[in-house]
Amino acid sequence: MTSVSLSSSMISFILLSPRPQKLILASIDIVFLFAVFIFTVRKLYSRRTPSNDGDSDANEPLVTKTTCFVKTSLWFKLSVTVSVTLAILATVLSVLGFMKNTETSWKLIDGICWLVQAISFAVVTFLVSHEKRFQSVNHPISLRVFWVVNFVAIALIASSSITHLISNTPLSKSCDLISSISLPFSAFLVIVSVTGSTGIIVTPESKPDEINKSSNVSGWASASILSKTFWLWLNPLLKKGYKTPLKIDDIPTLSPEHRAKKLSLFFEKNWPKPEEKSRHPVRTTLLRCFWKDIAFTGCLAVVKLGVAYVGPLLIQRFVDFTSGKRSSPYEGYYLVLILLVSKFLEVLSQHHFNFHSQKIGMLIRSTLITSLYKKGLRLSCSARQSHGVGQIVNYMAVDAQQLSDIMVQLHAIWLMPLQVAVALAIIYMYLGQSVVVTLVAILLILLLTFMGAKRNNRYQFNIMTSRDSRMKSTNEMLSYMRVIKFQAWEQHFNDRIQSFRESEYGWLCKFMYSIGGNMIVLWSTPLFISTVTFGSGILLGVNLDAGTVFTATSLFKNLQDTIWSFPQSMISLSQAMISLGRLDEYMNSKELEEGSVERHANCNDMMAVSVQNGSFSWNDDEDASEGETIKNLNFKIRKGELAAIVGTVGSGKSSLLASVIGEMHKISGKVTVTGSTAYVAQTSWIQNSTIQENILFGSPMDRNKYKNVIRTCCLEKDLEMMEFGDQTEIGERGINLSGGQKQRIQLARAVYQDSDIYLLDDVFSAVDAHTGSEIFKECVRGVLRDKTILLVTHQVDFLHNVDLILVSDVVLFLGQGQVMRDGMIVQSGKYDELVQSGLDFQALVSAHETSMQLVQTKSTEPETITKSPTGNTKENYNDTTKALDRSQSSAKIGTSKLIEDEERETGRVSLHVYKVYATEAFGWFGVILVLFLSVLWQATQMASDYWLAYETSEDRADSFDPLVFIGVYAVIAGVAFVIIIGRIIFTVYLGLETAQTFFKQILHSILHAPTSFFDTTPSGRILSRASSDQTNIDTLIPFMMHTSLVLHMSVISVIIITCQYAWPTVFLLIPLGWLNFWYRGYYLATSREITRLDSITKAPVIHHFSESISGVIMIRCFRKQDRFIQENVERVDGNLRMDFHNNGSNGWLGFRMEFLGSWFLCVSTVFMILLPSNVIKPEDVGLSLSYGLSLNGLLFSALIMSCFVENRMVSVERIQQFTNIPSEAEWVKKDNPPPPNWPDQGNLELRDLQVRYRPNTPLVLKGITLNIQGGQKIGVVGRTGGGKSTLIQVMFRLVEPTGGSIIIDGIDISTLGLHDLRSRFGIIPQEPILFEGTVRSNIDPIGQHSDEEIWKSLERCQLNDVVAAKTGKLDSAVVDNGDNWSVGQRQLLCLGRVLLKHSRLLFMDEATASVDSQTDAVIQKIIREDFANCTIVSIAHRIPTVMDCDRVLVIDAGNFLSFCRWKIGRSIWGYSVYGRPGYAKEFDKPSCLIKRPSLFGALVQEYASRSSGL
């Protein structure tokens, strides 16, 4: 025992005595200096000694020739400053040690020890400074160890010095003071040693363009720890936003670690391996990627929870202090200091928790969107159909957002029980067994809130279901608005959307009132729990003094938000788990089998495409063999061959091409493709970009090659007609192009890619005969003559010139995209061989020859026009050059954009927008009533606390009546409860009425908008207003405005009560108010613009996602997946940088505002402890503190809520923009209705008709004058893009005439209402549009006809057998855009609509473009029989279709061509015209036109002879 005590005494002497401590410190310094000396000598020796190794590090110069940029952060500067400071302090201590009046030996020891310390830190300063020259990112490990060990020694010395200072030991006070000061500086270096970072930022030297490109990277990327701690890295952006409205380019890009590409690769790396057999791969992967970040936010949440209870615990101490119960005169200052530090930590941890949780959510959203996009490009066709384009977009827009949002609420689930337990433990300390009643009350409120949240979740699900239906119907309406206006179905779609809205509104009302109920519980919680707790305390005999009651009320207020958020967090977690399940299902969906097609490079093998015993299905399930689409497919196509695929409508021609490029599920067989592939689909897929960008499709520009492609695809004339040539922007789905133009742009895109194998799906269906011949000669048999081509076509006359013909047998379509084949390829061979075989091909040829008989017997070729249509190739090439040069010059002097950048307001949301929203439903009465009820409720809250302070005062101790106390308190709580019920119910009602009014306004405005509005406005802009903006108005804005109002009143009440008792703080109100106002304006200037930019950048992400999924077959065929993935990444990063900086600015503001509130609280508390006890009483201190503790949170919440409201008011602003769209003419003119049977004759007269689409654009129709007698059949022919479809649009007044007039049966159509006009006409549009629904709803959308009439109509249009074979008959499903029907079948269904309508005037716009000659002949026969007495205007590219018309009208470039005199031109489209355009005598019978020199005669002659001439 003696030896043990001796040892402990020795250790105590060494560790606790000043002089041994200094010797320990000196020993550490000497070891460090010796290590530095050895390293230096070794380095110098190695430099002077020659080395055989030329690459030795020792041979490197002392200062390297760097090619990097080196920057130092604040962290580096602080490290140097602290090292210098410690060296100076040690020097001072050394001087004082030598000067001390004590024993010589100890004086020398003190002086030498501190001198060694000074030298050590001088060396440290040199080393740290020298690290910049060596571009050292991390401190050496030896230096970091020295700092830690040195800190331990200094901590021992400082502890002894502090002990001496407190006990007034007669030693050197100056030395002890300086030693104590050294401790925090040394502690800082310990932190530096732990982090290891020097604060030096090294970036590789970049090229000038790279520097410019990366110069605007987020400040987060290079921020120091201090900068990140206090959000200093946001200062430059906030400063810029305050000076001028921010633009997209002003927002910095994300730092590298936050970018979508890196996150997506990290996600793929952590995806579970197949052998792991993970049931929830998405959840597993996200946890693997982000578990460290989630754990970090969990630590922040624990810190926040711990310091949140310091304030309530101090209330009793402050009350005791003011009542005279104090242990020290300075105790009050200690308490204030503790309060300030705890508030600082609370504020800092709270906002870092929010910021980092939002950052994790942002990273998860970025990761998921990019990963979902990549998956979408790999999905098999059946998987894509089973999910649907809309549903896949929902995974990205809804489910990814759901998982992002849960991050903020995730920790509340496990923190809530802990927070309640701590609060109850504290309450037990003060109120004893009353805590049981408190627990019961809390559980009751939790139960009510949980039941409410569960009910809200159910209502929200129903709202989302109804909203999805409404948005689906709205999207469909916007996609096919032109067809809807043609058919005058606006009212039908209005009623349909309104019915979905009524269902949504019903659930919305229940949801809003249910949320209101939860808010009533939330706002009543503190008073309710206080009433039952204090009541039970009185019954149990607990002494209720000021400290006790106000500590309890403060704790109850702390629990308010926790009780509110916990149930919602549970519901959100449940929703997130559902979203994870949906994403698991999607990410596990079947992908396209890359190995189904053997692809070889362009080798010496002469076989380009080979299919052996191939059986294919669109269904890739296990039972796919039962639903074979194509079976027993066998053919071989040699390199350079042109193979044609022919067959009747729905015979599987397009499916055959899909099987070759690997888009179908291969059941059996072998497919071999040698070389690259290019695909031109039957249904055009055009991107929303310029014509040039569509053609290049990501390939580099080769000007000569590009010009040649434009020429061979017959696009020169189109580019000349367009104001901006190939720089013209194409609208969504090519809405501003004709069908022929879209098809030729698709073809040009394929030709420009210079692939080896071309798959062309009916490319001639949408172009006129002349253009078709030109394309076949110049493109198919011209630039592609050495390529392998698979051509699906109905143009039999081209088949003479092909190497191989494949004849597809009849098929039967069943269900949604599933097909049952009765046959296969039944014939293949040369044209003459197949004709002689007398099988299916002979039937197709016979139908074509029958239609050509009239052409061949009546055609006469005028001598003046025998010149080849091709003309001089050099001159055509020069024309192309001129057109392109013109497009470039036009682009310089004007804008080529059809889709203009979205309009956005800048600066503050105007007060007019607030006024419109607030007064839309009930005027100013509603506003005043809400304000009055809010003031009244806040008064009851203050009254309850004043009553507590009054009853618990020392003056009332003797006369305290428990029954009166609790009775009055309960009455006040009851009154507050009644007032809040009235306030919330009226607020909800006001918000619902306002939302419904706005919805009706925007729907009315959109339905009445002219077609030009839809041509220039992407549907995404309208949909974003109908979805997210309307949702903000439906649910968020009412409650946010209400909450903002309540919070501002709460702040005012806190300030009133605080200033009432600590009156000197009144002087702080002006600076506090000014800072609050200034910070709000400073922050909001940036936040508001970022919110607007966020809305603008979000739509392109969704649009590109849906556009890519729709065109995925094209993307995969051209092998452009990487380019599209990169574009998706860029759009995601562009949108999420808005989120990141907005969240950062919230943290920046929140920390500053809450800390400002904490300073105000602490200053007012100082005044309260300074004021004498006769001025301020203990109960007043308790009341003031119970209010003041929430000031920092209230101040920030009120401010951020007001900013949130202003940001969401942008939705009102955006909807207001679309409620003021210029409207088209009236639908119905009640004062001028047409006669009931109008038009009864069908006489049609055009008088000098002129049309342009928009002001300041060229005329499209340039003065057409003609007269059509009732009952006549008029054929309209002309070059594609020449204005034929425009003629029909102006008849329906989709485009209003610029000049002239249209008279039908004596009535000028401009005097009629639009519905009166359009509903009397029949039309088969150029694009056969089917709506999602059933066969019945498509053929008779209004529901005016019986089943018998519908069946009769289907029989007449040749679809009776097809529909009858389906299980649902007339109720058989039609998917979105009719994708489970062939294009030809869709056109036949459109014909069925017209047959039901029995219109006197019928317009046909390429009604038979996508059907074979045999089906065309049947349709023409039906039209002749069923519309014998009707006036028919038929646009056609097939000459036989118009040969039996009574008259033919030829249009080119908007002119009604006259041919009374001729001049020879380069081509048949180049003849000059004498006389005024629209001269009536040139509008004549086809038989007359072909007997004299005419353009129509030339067309007929060319069409008749092109088979032999090709």
Side-chain angles (χ1 to χ4, degrees), residues 1352-1354 1356-1357 1388 1390-1398 1422-1423 1426-1427:
K1352 190 176 293 184
S1353 171
L1354 290 172
R1356 296 296 292 156
C1357 67
L1388 294 176
C1390 292
L1391 173 62
R1393 287 177 190 159
V1394 175
L1395 291 172
L1396 277 178
K1397 203 169 184 180
H1398 300 298
I1422 294 168
I1423 291 170
D1426 286 45
F1427 296 95

Side-chain angles (χ1 to χ4, degrees), residues 309 357 393 793:
Y309 286 107
S357 297
V393 172
T793 183

Side-chain angles (χ1 to χ4, degrees), residues 995-1031:
Q996 194 70 342
T997 303
F998 277 121
F999 175 79
K1000 290 177 179 177
Q1001 286 176 354
I1002 192 172
L1003 180 61
H1004 178 274
S1005 181
I1006 289 170
L1007 283 168
H1008 283 78
T1011 52
S1012 59
F1013 169 76
F1014 301 99
D1015 290 346
T1016 57
T1017 307
S1019 59
R1021 288 185 194 171
I1022 304 173
L1023 289 172
S1024 67
R1025 285 164 170 82
S1027 56
S1028 57
D1029 288 324
Q1030 185 65 46
T1031 301

